[in-house]
Amino acid sequence: MSPAGYWPQLRAAIEAGADACYFGLHHFSARAKVGFSLEELPEVMRTLHSRGVRGYLTFNTLIFEHELDAAAKAIEAVTRAGVDALIVQDIGVLKMAREMAPTLELHASTQTSITSAEGVEFALGLGVQRVTLARELSIEEIGTIYAKTGAELEIFVHGALCVAYSGQCFSSEAWGGRSANRGQCAQACRLEYEMLVDGEVEPLADARYLLSPGDLSALRHVPRIVDAGVASLKIEGRYKDADYVALTTRAYRQAVDDAWAGRASRLSAVDELQLEQVYSRGLGAHFLSGVNHQAVVQGRAPRHRGVRMGRVARVWMDSVSVEPSEAHAVAALKAGDGLVFDAADWRSPAEPEEGGRVYEVLAELDGTLQLKFGNGAVRFDRIRQGDLVWRTQDADLARVVRPFLEPAAPVAKQAVDVRVSGGEGLALEMEWVLARNPAVRFLVRSTLPLERAAKRGLDVEMLREQLGRLGNSAYELGELTVELQGSVFAPASLLNQLRREAVEGLQTLQTRPLAREVSPRPVVSKIPHAGGGDAALHVLVRTPEQLAAALELGVSSITLCLLYTSPSPRD
C-alpha cells in the first residue's frame, strides 16, 4: 500500500506494483499540504481501477462539531466517486460514515492508536473492516493481536516515525496553533533542543535533535510480518516525491512476493541502499524488533542524510580525501553525486553545511578517495578531518526510476487467466478472468462456428502465442486452459479480434463506477453533560504561587505536582 501525494506519486506507485494507494483531500486529511480535489477523485479512481489497484482516501483528522455538515458532504462525494475505503481517525466520523454509506469499507487509522486485541475488537464493533495498528508494536505483539482477533490488520513498514504514539502529538498545536490531528503538523520534533540537568545545560555534542526519530525500514522482516498475519504493508510518505514512491514500492513488492512464495529474498544490497539513498534519516526496524528508544532517536540530524559514504581523512587546498565506508563497495562514489560534509559534533546547526556535486573521484594508493568539486562549490576551510560524508543524491537513481515515472508501456501488468472452449460446429469461446480479482471476468465468442482443421489445428502453443500478444495493454497472459473438442481451425485474425474485444471488455468492467447508495447525514443530537449540573474545574499546580491563585479562584479541586529530589549525603 503506497502513498500518493498527487498524480506523479500515484502513477509511480501503480507502475512499481502497488496493490493499493492511499491519498487525501486538501481538508479532513492528516497531510493537508498535499492531496486531490473532490472533482479529481473520479479520474483518480478510474486510473487506479484500470490497473487493478485499490484507492483508499484518508479522512483521518479530528472533526469539530461545526464541521459535521461539511464532513457529511465530503463523505457523500467520495463515496459516489468510487473510493474503495475511507481511513478514519475520528470515532464520530466513523459512525456517521457507517450510517450514511453502509457498503463503504472503513479502515481505522493508525491515529486511533490501537495497540491491543481489545482495541481491535472495539474498532470492529464500530463497523471497521481493517485496523491500522499503532507503530509502537513489535512483530510478536502484532502476531498475538492477530491470533486473538483474526482481524484484517495493517502496519507501517517504511518511512517516517512520529515521536508521539502513532501521531498523537500535541506539541505543534500547543506551541504554534498547528494541530497534527488537523493535518497541520509543524514537526516540532525535528527542531534542535537543549537538555537541562539540575538547571544546567548538558552538552549534547552530535545529539542535539533529541526528539527526532530515525526512519522505519522493515524490508528484511517482511517474511516474519507475513507469518504474523498482517494483511497490508503500508509505506509512509505522502509528502515524498515520486522517486521515493517508485523505489520503496518496487522493493516491498518484491519482498512480499518472495515471502508469500516461501522463497529467499531476491533483493540485493544495491536495492536496499537505493531505499536509504532516496530518502532516509537513518533506517531501522525500530519498534518492530522491540522497544529500544536509544536506537530510535540518534539525534545527529533531523533531515534526509542519504547514505554514509565515509569519513574525511585529509583536507587539501582544492580537494578532500575520504576513507570510504562499506557502502562505497556496493554503490561507488562517482562524478555527479551530491555530497554533504557532516560536522554535527562541532559546528552549530545554525551554520550552513558544506557540500556540492562531485566533479572527479580519484582512487589513492592508501585506499582513500580524493574528491574534487567545481570551482567555488565548496569551502574547504570549513571541512575538518573526521567529518562524516553523506551522499545525498546519487546520479544513477534517475536512470533506475525512469521506467516507473516515464513508462513507454505499463510496467506492472495484471495477470489474466483464459479458458478457451469450442469444437467443430460450435462457437469459439474465451473467458478472460483477472487472476487477482476473479470477480472481473469477460466472455467473448466467435459469431461463426469452428470448422475441422485441414492441417494443424488449434493447440495450446498456438493459442498462447496469439493470446499473449497483449502489447501496451495493462494485462499479461496468466494460466491458459484449453478445452477443445477435436481438431478445429481458427484464423489468427479471429484470435486477434477476440483478444482485443476481451481487453476492451476487461477495461470497461474495471473502470465502471462503484454503485453505492448514500443516505443523508444522520441527525446528531448534543449529549448533555454527564454530571447533570455545572461543569467542575480541576486544576494541577506545580508552584506555591499557582496554589495560592487556585485557592483564591475557588476551583473544584486541586492536584499538587510534587518534584522529587534525591537527598544529599548531609541530609
Side-chain angles (χ1 to χ4, degrees):
M1 184 178 181
S2 299
Y6 202 51
W7 284 108
Q9 293 88 336
L10 186 93
R11 295 187 177 106
I14 292 171
E15 299 302 342
D19 296 305
C21 286
Y22 67 102
F23 46 86
L25 303 171
H26 291 291
H27 55 294
F28 302 131
S29 170
R31 295 290 184 268
K33 295 179 183 178
V34 295
F36 295 90
S37 67
L38 279 173
E39 292 73 24
E40 290 176 296
L41 281 189
E43 181 59 27
V44 168
M45 296 312 304
R46 280 193 294 269
T47 301
L48 290 171
H49 286 170
S50 70
R51 302 295 298 279
V53 180
R54 289 168 65 81
Y56 303 143
L57 187 93
T58 56
F59 210 93
N60 56 344
T61 57
L62 299 177
I63 308 299
F64 295 143
E65 189 168 337
H66 70 271
E67 297 173 314
L68 286 174
D69 282 333
K73 291 177 182 177
I75 290 171
E76 179 180 2
V78 300
T79 302
R80 296 193 188 284
V83 298
D84 291 295
L86 286 186
I87 304 172
V88 182
Q89 174 188 187
D90 193 303
I91 300 300
V93 171
L94 194 155
K95 297 177 76 172
M96 184 167 67
R98 176 80 297 135
E99 189 166 339
M100 289 181 62
T103 60
L104 176 63
E105 190 172 312
L106 297 176
H107 298 177
S109 166
T110 189
Q111 275 96 352
T112 54
S113 297
I114 293 175
T115 59
S116 66
E118 291 79 5
V120 170
E121 295 288 1
F122 174 77
L124 295 178
L126 294 174
V128 164
Q129 281 83 16
R130 177 185 295 181
V131 174
T132 308
L133 295 173
R135 296 178 225 194
E136 292 73 29
L137 295 170
S138 68
I139 296 175
E140 289 74 15
E141 290 169 325
I142 293 166
T144 299
I145 291 173
Y146 176 72
K148 290 182 177 180
T149 64
E152 188 174 317
L153 302 179
E154 179 174 276
I155 66 168
F156 278 91
V157 292
H158 199 93
L161 290 172
C162 182
V163 70
Y165 244 91
S166 259
Q168 298 299 317
C169 181
F170 300 97
S171 60
S172 177
E173 197 278 332
W175 297 336
R178 294 172 54 182
S179 172
N181 289 286
R182 299 277 293 168
Q184 300 170 337
C185 179
Q187 295 198 316
C189 58
R190 307 301 180 187
L191 301 177
E192 178 190 9
Y193 288 89
E194 290 181 339
M195 178 183 286
L196 299 178
V197 180
D198 293 333
E200 300 293 329
V201 176
E202 178 76 10
L204 295 174
D206 63 346
R208 290 180 287 241
Y209 298 92
L210 295 174
L211 303 182
S212 181
D215 289 351
L216 171 64
S217 174
L219 198 61
R220 296 185 180 183
H221 300 272
V222 168
R224 293 178 58 211
I225 291 170
V226 171
D227 289 342
V230 173
S232 173
L233 280 66
K234 190 172 186 177
I235 298 169
E236 181 276 338
R238 281 191 284 147
Y239 281 162
K240 305 293 198 321
D241 61 21
D243 291 15
Y244 167 90
V245 173
L247 290 176
T248 52
T249 301
R250 182 192 66 165
Y252 281 91
R253 169 80 280 151
Q254 185 66 68
V256 169
D257 289 347
D258 288 341
W260 193 254
R263 58 179 175 248
S265 174
R266 291 174 290 172
L267 289 166
S268 66
V270 174
D271 295 326
E272 292 191 53
L273 204 67
Q274 287 172 350
L275 293 194
E276 194 171 356
Q277 185 65 72
V278 72
Y279 196 94
S280 164
R281 299 181 182 91
L283 297 178
H286 300 317
F287 293 106
L288 287 176
S289 57
V291 176
N292 184 351
H293 294 118
Q294 299 303 314
V296 175
V297 178
Q298 298 292 329
R300 187 177 181 94
R303 63 188 71 87
H304 170 56
R305 296 277 81 181
V307 176
R308 179 176 167 179
M309 299 304 295
R311 186 181 292 270
V312 174
R314 293 177 296 278
V315 182
W316 309 104
M317 290 291 293
D318 60 352
S319 64
V320 174
S321 292
V322 172
E323 297 174 0
S325 67
E326 293 179 1
H328 176 70
V330 177
L333 272 171
K334 58 194 173 300
D337 286 351
L339 298 185
V340 67
F341 295 93
D342 179 352
D345 55 337
W346 68 279
R347 187 180 295 153
S348 166
E351 299 181 58
E353 294 180 307
E354 285 300 319
R357 289 202 176 272
V358 178
Y359 181 76
E360 187 178 14
V361 180
L362 301 174
E364 305 286 358
L365 293 177
D366 62 356
T368 61
L369 302 172
Q370 186 179 8
L371 308 181
K372 296 189 175 182
F373 300 82
N375 292 334
V378 174
R379 282 185 53 185
F380 296 98
D381 61 323
R382 298 186 73 245
I383 300 174
R384 186 189 70 165
Q385 182 180 1
D387 286 354
L388 300 182
V389 181
W390 298 87
R391 178 166 59 196
T392 55
Q393 292 181 316
D394 186 338
D396 285 344
L397 274 190
R399 172 184 55 80
V400 175
V401 302
R402 188 174 296 116
F404 306 108
L405 307 187
E406 303 170 9
V411 179
K413 296 202 172 190
Q414 305 168 74
V416 185
D417 298 334
V418 182
R419 183 181 63 84
V420 180
S421 61
E424 184 180 352
L426 302 174
L428 178 64
E429 290 190 351
M430 298 180 186
E431 187 178 37
W432 294 63
V433 183
L434 288 188
R436 300 188 67 179
N437 187 4
V440 178
R441 55 183 62 221
F442 193 77
L443 182 68
V444 292
R445 60 167 56 91
S446 62
T447 56
L448 297 176
L450 294 171
E451 298 178 357
R452 181 189 298 272
K455 295 181 180 180
R456 180 185 176 187
L458 280 180
D459 57 20
V460 173
E461 182 181 350
M462 181 185 300
L463 286 166
R464 181 169 292 281
E465 179 184 354
Q466 293 295 326
L467 302 184
R469 295 178 177 177
L470 293 165
N472 289 340
S473 74
Y475 307 105
E476 62 184 4
L477 185 61
E479 295 184 5
L480 176 61
T481 304
V482 179
E483 301 170 351
L484 293 174
Q485 302 172 21
S487 180
V488 293
F489 168 77
S493 59
L494 173 61
L495 299 179
N496 292 337
Q497 175 192 336
L498 295 179
R499 185 190 65 235
R500 287 192 294 269
E501 290 178 10
V503 168
E504 292 173 3
L506 289 173
Q507 279 287 283
T508 300
L509 288 175
Q510 285 192 275
T511 56
R512 64 185 177 186
L514 297 176
R516 292 198 184 103
E517 292 185 5
V518 185
S519 303
R521 173 197 154 188
V523 176
V524 180
S525 58
K526 292 186 177 181
I527 301 174
H529 173 59
D534 294 334
L537 182 63
H538 305 274
V539 177
L540 170 70
V541 300
R542 293 186 171 89
T543 66
E545 292 79 13
Q546 292 176 348
L547 175 60
L551 290 171
E552 184 177 347
L553 291 172
V555 299
S556 302
S557 72
I558 298 174
T559 300
L560 301 180
C561 178
L562 300 180
L563 178 64
Y564 173 79
T565 56
S566 301
S568 66
R570 288 184 306 178
D571 297 334

